[in-house]
Structures are given as C-alpha cells and as structure tokens.
Amino acid sequence: MAQKAAKQLAAKNTTTLNRTHLISLANNVLFLFLRLIIFRKAYNRNTLTLYVLLTAPAWAIEFWLEKIGRPQYVENGELRKSGEDLDAKGLTEFMWDILYWTWACIAAAALVGNGAWWMYAVVPVYSAWMASTMILNMKKGMTGMTGQGNSGGDGGEGSGDSKRQKKLEKRGGQKVQYR
C-alpha cells in the first residue's frame, strides 16, 4: 500500500479537526445560549464584546490548524497532501494549549459570568515562565560551551573532562587532546 503513513496521518488529522470544530461549536453555542437567553438579566454590553475579543485568538488558531492540517485530495479521491502533523511539538502544541484554555474560559464565562474571563490572564504568565526557563537553560548551555565556570565534575577548574576521561587518565591511558 503506497503512502500508508501519509494516509494514516490524513485520517488522523481529519478526525482531530472534525472533533475540534464540533467541540468549539458546542462550546460557543452553549455560551451564547446561556448568556443571551438563560442569564439574560446578567447580560450587558460588555459580555458580547469580551466574548468576541477573547475568543478571537482561538478562532484564529482553529483556522490556522484547519489550513495546515486538513488533507487535500485530487479529483479522483487520491491523496495529494496529508497535511502537517497536528501532534507536533513546539508551536503547534502551544496552539493546542491556547485553544483548550480558551474553551475552558468560554465554558466558565458561560456558567459564572464575565469575571471568569480573568482566567485568560494565565496564558501570558505561562508564556513568560516558559520563555524565562528557556532563556535560563540556553544560558546554562552557553556557559559550558565558553568554558566559563566549573562543568560540574570533580576535576580542576573548568577542565570540562568527563568522568570516563578522568578515569582513563588516572590509569595512565591515553590523554585526550583538545585543539
């Protein structure tokens, strides 16, 4: 069977995107139904403004995931492009996190009210924390490359030798030469 992996990815992407659209539709209809019809007394002008403003990133992300993940077929039903992997690490994973968190905020705002939109403030805090840990880890890695500080071994200052290299040198083995 030709392109088995591509066909599996296409089927998985189609299922994931269809499920995503259904959950999003249900969540948004629930919000509009509860806020505009059931809790009509609690409705004010800010409700709809906050809803549109704070769900816009989720709509944009959902549109982007649809664009990159939806498989494309030629006229005879043959797979032309399977789409990007929607389970990829990095930015795609972060976009799914934003989408899930927005859905949670929509559901909470539908049930509790406009005060639940403050949950969305977690996103920039989380982003800042992730960026700071990434920068600190990069900084640690760079100090090892430049020879600054001790590399964590028992040896001399800034020697950078691994434990195995030190053992070999103690036994009189070959000394590793650096250029």
Side-chain angles (χ1 to χ4, degrees):
M1 177 178 224
Q3 300 179 341
K4 182 177 180 182
K7 289 178 181 177
Q8 287 176 344
L9 181 62
K12 185 178 176 185
N13 282 355
T14 302
T15 304
T16 301
L17 289 170
N18 290 341
R19 183 181 61 233
T20 299
H21 295 323
L22 284 175
I23 292 170
S24 181
L25 177 68
N27 205 1
N28 288 300
V29 167
L30 174 74
F31 176 85
L32 293 172
F33 178 73
L34 288 177
R35 285 287 120 199
L36 299 178
I37 296 174
I38 302 296
F39 300 124
R40 192 175 186 136
K41 290 181 182 178
Y43 172 77
N44 59 23
R45 192 171 177 201
N46 292 335
T47 301
L48 213 50
T49 305
L50 284 171
Y51 169 74
V52 170
L53 182 69
L54 295 174
T55 57
W59 293 338
I61 288 171
E62 197 169 340
F63 173 75
W64 179 252
L65 291 174
E66 173 72 29
K67 184 177 178 184
I68 67 166
R70 182 68 66 179
Q72 297 173 357
Y73 297 93
V74 291
E75 292 175 6
N76 62 359
E78 192 175 317
L79 183 66
R80 185 177 81 152
K81 182 182 172 190
S82 63
E84 299 292 325
D85 184 14
L86 295 177
D87 289 334
K89 300 290 180 198
L91 186 60
T92 307
E93 185 179 36
F94 183 69
M95 285 196 273
W96 282 111
D97 292 343
I98 298 294
L99 192 64
Y100 296 147
W101 190 249
T102 303
W103 288 346
C105 290
I106 292 171
L111 298 172
V112 179
N114 286 343
W117 289 115
W118 282 102
M119 288 174 33
Y120 215 86
V122 171
V123 173
V125 171
Y126 175 72
S127 299
W129 177 74
M130 288 297 289
S132 66
T133 55
M134 182 184 70
I135 289 169
L136 288 175
N137 287 339
M138 284 176 48
K139 202 173 192 180
K140 280 183 192 176
M142 294 303 257
T143 56
M145 288 173 57
T146 59
Q148 298 173 354
N150 195 353
S151 63
D154 303 271
E157 295 180 25
S159 64
D161 293 341
S162 69
K163 289 181 181 180
R164 183 170 182 257
Q165 288 171 340
K166 290 175 189 172
K167 284 181 184 178
L168 284 172
E169 288 172 8
K170 280 184 183 178
R171 282 190 260 157
Q174 181 181 1
K175 175 138 175 84
V176 179
Q177 295 179 351
Y178 296 100
R179 296 179 191 186

